[in-house]
Amino acid sequence: MENHCGTSRIAGCSFSVHPMSDKFVDYIKAGLNEVDSSKVWMKTDDVTTTVRGRMEHVFEVTEAILLHIAKTGVHVAFQGTFSIGCPGDSSGDVHMDESEERLNKPQFKEIEQRIAAKFSLYPMGGGDYMDTIYRQIEAMKEKGVEVTPAHYSTRLDGDTRDIFTGLQDVFRETEASGSSHTVMTVTVSANSPSHKDDRP
């Protein structure tokens, strides 16, 4: 099968959020509607929501949607797959011309929301990425994020902003190290009734 690679460095994320409530539809719709997504291409179907655009806006919109739901106190889970590079397509390329200004930052900058997250990074197509990943993990620790190894992933515990900033940094720097196609999977839990210290 012939592989067609896009030339744009557009980033994207296919994600789903799962509020643990009978009113889950209301929580999801509010999150999608009240977050400013004007700087990304976004489409929702019956399985996931996909956002595409500049890397910083993709991370900001996904973080803002999670925060909008989590700030209510409901237990919510987030699962997302971030991707940049080959194979690419042109949907949403117009958003690559957007400015760096992050439209949701003023609305959520005062929210302090602790989360637990696990991420796995898959650099494809070359690049010297292991040292890059280790450096970015150390940078997360310096911001107060607790980092622990887990099967098939790395666990992060801390403030939502610190964790999403760290995830964006490791994703960006891995791509910059020479990976032509970079994929990262992220799972987040907020407001869980199960605490880390209770795990066996």
Side-chain angles (χ1 to χ4, degrees):
M1 180 177 175
E2 186 177 359
N3 186 28
H4 296 281
C5 298
T7 57
S8 170
R9 300 313 293 170
I10 191 170
C13 180
S14 179
F15 71 94
S16 57
V17 285
H18 306 277
M20 311 302 175
S21 167
D22 291 341
K23 299 180 180 179
F24 66 93
V25 174
D26 295 335
Y27 284 114
I28 294 171
K29 285 185 175 180
L32 294 174
N33 293 333
E34 296 189 26
V35 167
D36 192 330
S37 59
S38 59
K39 288 196 172 186
V40 296
W41 178 94
M42 185 166 75
K43 182 177 181 180
T44 300
D45 59 27
D46 59 339
V47 181
T48 63
T49 294
T50 299
V51 292
R52 306 186 79 241
R54 290 176 62 125
M55 187 185 298
E56 60 266 31
H57 297 318
V58 169
F59 274 88
E60 190 215 27
V61 167
T62 51
E63 176 187 359
I65 290 171
L66 172 64
L67 272 175
H68 183 86
I69 299 173
K71 73 178 182 179
T72 67
V74 70
H75 178 200
V76 58
F78 167 99
Q79 291 183 309
T81 300
F82 294 84
S83 179
I84 188 170
C86 176
D89 60 55
S90 59
S91 296
D93 276 359
V94 63
H95 293 285
M96 295 299 288
D97 295 328
E98 296 285 356
S99 69
E100 294 183 4
E101 181 186 7
R102 303 184 184 194
L103 300 179
N104 294 287
K105 187 175 181 179
Q107 183 181 0
F108 294 101
K109 66 179 180 180
E110 302 300 329
I111 298 176
E112 295 184 2
Q113 176 67 54
R114 287 189 62 83
I115 58 173
K118 289 184 178 181
F119 81 98
S120 299
L121 194 64
Y122 304 96
M124 305 175 189
D128 181 16
Y129 54 86
M130 288 308 300
D131 288 342
T132 298
I133 295 172
Y134 291 139
R135 283 196 303 271
Q136 295 304 321
I137 286 177
E138 289 303 314
M140 286 190 230
K141 291 180 180 179
E142 292 174 4
K143 293 180 180 179
V145 175
E146 182 179 351
V147 181
T148 51
H151 289 297
Y152 319 117
S153 62
T154 299
R155 177 171 175 138
L156 309 172
D157 290 88
D159 183 73
T160 302
R161 285 187 298 275
D162 293 336
I163 288 177
F164 268 78
T165 297
L167 290 172
Q168 180 181 332
D169 288 346
V170 70
F171 188 70
R172 182 188 62 244
E173 293 303 317
T174 300
E175 191 233 358
S177 73
S179 172
S180 61
H181 181 202
T182 304
V183 175
M184 181 171 68
T185 59
V186 178
T187 302
V188 175
S189 178
N191 303 322
S192 172
S194 301
H195 297 290
K196 182 181 178 183
D197 292 342
D198 297 332
R199 298 199 317 267

